[in-house]
Amino acid sequence: MKLTTQVIAEIYKDKPIESLKDINVSKKEIDSIADISACKELRKLNLANNELVDEKSIAGLKDLEQITLLNLSGNKFKDFTGFQHLQTLCVLNVSHNELIHMSPHITRLKHLKALILNHNNLLEIENIEPLLELNTLVISHNKVDRVPRLSSLLQLTKLSAAHNQLTEVPDLTHNVLLKEIRLNDNKITQIPETLRKCNAIEIMDFGNNNLTNWADIAAFGSLTKLHNLNLKGNPITKKKDYLEKILDLVPSLRILDGERFDPKFLERKKKQRENVNIVEKKQRMKRMKLQKEKKEKKDRGDIDEDGDVQMTEADAPVVENKKRKVKAAEITKVKSKKSVTAESSDEPALKKKKKAASDEKDLFFLKPEDKPVEKKKVKTTKTVTAKKETVSKKEPAAPVAASVTPALPQKPQTKAETGVVGVVDKSKKLAKAGKKTTDVVAALESESKKQEASNSGTGLDVGGWD
């Protein structure tokens, strides 16, 4: 597949290719690159894991004026031919290729800061002296048996030459800014005295080498900023009092052979363990409490011997809520029943009340002759003269008088009590209405005078008029 501007435009449909700053076309089986100088703003280009081989395959990159990072890992380059045109590069990754040697074309990359060449077939490190701005050099997993003096690389801070065939540490006298050295998995037998001048070193990995005696690592004593040291896989680690003597030699160490042991870290780790223990203790106490409650329920007979009713700590609130809901429903049911019965029992009384009220209302507006006669217990009163009593015995109305009980002395009744007021009011209303009616009051008065004039009195006064 050939990488062209059209391919890039298809991959990045939402953006114009002129404004693209970062293009990732890894794993596209690209074997050649056409002119992509139309990507004027391009700074980072990832061409990893493709089929690029030589200068012709990357000819389309030479006119990229602002490119700073180029990833060509996982391709099939054998040298740096064609890279001389990419003079603006700061980071070049040509790892996992088939590099045999470092051709002089690389010397043209004056602004290169990081050169990554791991997992190749390099036999030696060459042509890197002119790379004055280089601060990171990775040449691990090659077949290098010697690293030359890197006196010109004053900006170098990281050097990795692990998994090679080195027998000695390179002269790093002039690389005073060096902070990280990884020379593990080689055949180094001694740490040179020149390393004492690299006072800025913080991380150092010499694992799986042939360091045997205490004198072989004496130079570590001058590295006051060294806090991470790996010597695992060396014979010296099997010596008696290894840890104590290393700490005496390098008091600034916090990590040795991959294990951290500085006081602050250990204290923090201890607190974390204590917190874990506290949490476990709380959980254990909860379990014990639940078991105790279960046992008490068994003793009370709330659950059977098989423990069918089991409640976990998480289920307890749910069950409690369910119980409350059931209880509330029962209470509501009972209340509703009570209200229904009360209403049903009140219905006859209300009906009676309404009926009585309606009867009273109807009777009030009836004429005196239309009113129904009510049977009342007649009470007689003592007459003023004994003469009337004797006369009443002689009258033919004796059966009525005999049935009446002797009258008790009582107060004379008012007109309101006898119902006369209602009749008078009614008669007045009828008179106003212009209807011809008999004067009931006058008739009653005349009737009473006639009875008094005659000696045929019944012994009933106004109270017995009805």
Side-chain angles (χ1 to χ4, degrees), residues 13-205:
K13 294 179 181 179
D14 300 334
K15 298 179 181 179
I17 60 172
E18 294 84 2
S19 62
L20 287 173
K21 294 183 179 181
D22 189 349
I23 294 176
N24 186 351
V25 285
S26 60
K27 298 181 181 180
K28 300 289 185 184
E29 297 182 356
I30 297 170
D31 54 8
S32 62
I33 302 173
D35 183 15
I36 57 170
S37 58
C39 303
K40 297 179 180 180
E41 300 293 326
L42 185 61
R43 287 172 171 75
K44 297 179 182 180
L45 178 59
N46 187 352
L47 289 164
N49 300 306
N50 282 295
E51 303 295 329
L52 301 172
V53 177
D54 50 20
E55 182 179 5
K56 290 181 180 179
S57 60
I58 59 170
L61 303 178
K62 62 181 180 180
D63 293 324
L64 295 174
E65 297 178 354
Q66 298 191 38
I67 188 166
T68 58
L69 186 150
L70 179 60
N71 186 353
L72 291 169
S73 62
N75 283 280
K76 298 178 181 179
F77 288 99
K78 294 185 178 180
D79 56 26
F80 294 114
T81 307
F83 289 82
Q84 65 274 13
H85 304 292
L86 309 172
Q87 296 184 15
T88 57
L89 278 179
C90 293
V91 180
L92 176 61
N93 186 348
V94 199
S95 61
H96 295 274
N97 275 266
E98 298 175 2
L99 293 174
I100 298 172
H101 68 96
M102 300 173 66
S103 59
H105 304 91
I106 198 173
T107 58
R108 303 287 299 276
L109 309 180
K110 302 291 185 181
H111 300 289
L112 200 63
K113 298 184 186 317
L115 180 59
I116 303 167
L117 305 174
N118 56 290
H119 290 88
N120 280 286
N121 297 318
L122 293 173
L123 298 174
E124 59 180 344
I125 306 301
E126 53 186 344
N127 299 316
I128 60 170
E129 292 82 4
L131 308 179
L132 303 179
E133 296 184 16
L134 196 68
N135 59 44
T136 301
L137 177 60
V138 180
I139 53 174
S140 55
H141 291 275
N142 279 283
K143 298 177 181 179
V144 178
D145 57 3
R146 180 179 175 276
V147 177
R149 179 181 286 187
L150 305 173
S151 56
S152 62
L153 306 181
L154 301 179
Q155 303 297 321
L156 193 66
T157 57
K158 295 181 182 180
L159 172 63
S160 177
H163 294 274
N164 278 286
Q165 299 176 8
L166 299 175
T167 56
E168 59 181 16
V169 179
D171 186 0
L172 302 171
T173 307
H174 300 282
N175 309 108
V176 293
L177 298 179
L178 203 61
K179 292 184 177 181
E180 184 176 339
I181 301 176
R182 298 191 180 274
L183 297 174
N184 54 290
D185 293 277
N186 281 287
K187 299 175 182 178
I188 297 170
T189 57
Q190 188 178 13
I191 307 300
E193 291 294 317
T194 55
L195 199 63
R196 290 181 182 271
K197 294 183 179 180
C198 300
N199 293 323
I201 292 178
E202 297 175 357
I203 300 171
M204 191 175 286
D205 189 352

Side-chain angles (χ1 to χ4, degrees), residues 194-369:
T194 55
L195 199 63
R196 290 181 182 271
K197 294 183 179 180
C198 300
N199 293 323
I201 292 178
E202 297 175 357
I203 300 171
M204 191 175 286
D205 189 352
F206 281 94
N208 297 315
N209 277 283
N210 293 325
L211 300 171
T212 307
N213 302 314
W214 293 112
D216 297 338
I217 60 170
F220 290 159
S222 299
L223 307 178
T224 56
K225 294 183 180 179
L226 182 63
H227 62 79
N228 188 341
L229 175 63
N230 181 27
L231 295 175
K232 193 183 289 186
N234 284 279
I236 197 171
T237 57
K238 298 178 182 179
K239 285 188 174 291
K240 187 180 179 181
D241 300 330
Y242 164 70
L243 179 60
E244 288 79 1
K245 287 184 178 180
I246 286 288
L247 291 177
D248 289 340
L249 182 64
V250 190
S252 59
L253 277 182
R254 296 200 301 270
I255 303 171
L256 178 62
D257 300 342
E259 293 185 8
R260 192 167 180 175
F261 57 85
D262 60 288
K264 288 183 179 179
F265 173 77
L266 293 176
E267 187 178 351
R268 188 162 63 249
K269 202 171 181 181
K270 185 181 177 182
K271 285 182 179 178
Q272 289 174 352
R273 281 198 300 269
E274 287 175 356
N275 290 336
V276 170
N277 293 334
I278 290 168
V279 172
E280 288 178 354
K281 187 177 179 181
K282 285 183 179 179
Q283 290 176 349
R284 191 166 59 252
M285 293 295 288
K286 285 181 181 178
R287 287 196 297 270
M288 289 172 66
K289 188 178 178 181
L290 289 171
Q291 288 175 359
K292 189 178 178 181
E293 288 176 357
K294 188 178 176 182
K295 190 177 178 183
E296 288 175 356
K297 286 181 180 179
K298 269 190 180 180
D299 295 340
R300 290 197 305 268
D302 294 343
I303 57 175
D304 56 13
E305 294 295 329
D306 297 331
D308 290 336
V309 180
Q310 293 181 355
M311 185 186 295
T312 60
E313 186 182 359
D315 296 335
V318 177
V319 174
E320 187 66 25
N321 288 336
K322 284 184 180 178
K323 285 182 179 178
R324 286 176 184 172
K325 286 180 181 178
V326 170
K327 194 172 181 182
E330 289 176 356
I331 291 168
T332 308
K333 195 174 180 182
V334 171
K335 283 184 178 179
S336 63
K337 281 183 180 178
K338 284 184 179 180
S339 63
V340 169
T341 53
E343 286 175 4
S344 62
S345 62
D346 290 345
E347 276 180 6
L350 289 170
K351 284 181 181 179
K352 286 179 182 177
K353 273 188 178 181
K354 285 180 180 178
K355 192 174 180 182
S358 64
D359 290 345
E360 286 177 4
K361 188 176 180 182
D362 294 340
L363 288 171
F364 182 82
F365 290 103
L366 285 175
K367 293 180 181 180
E369 57 270 20

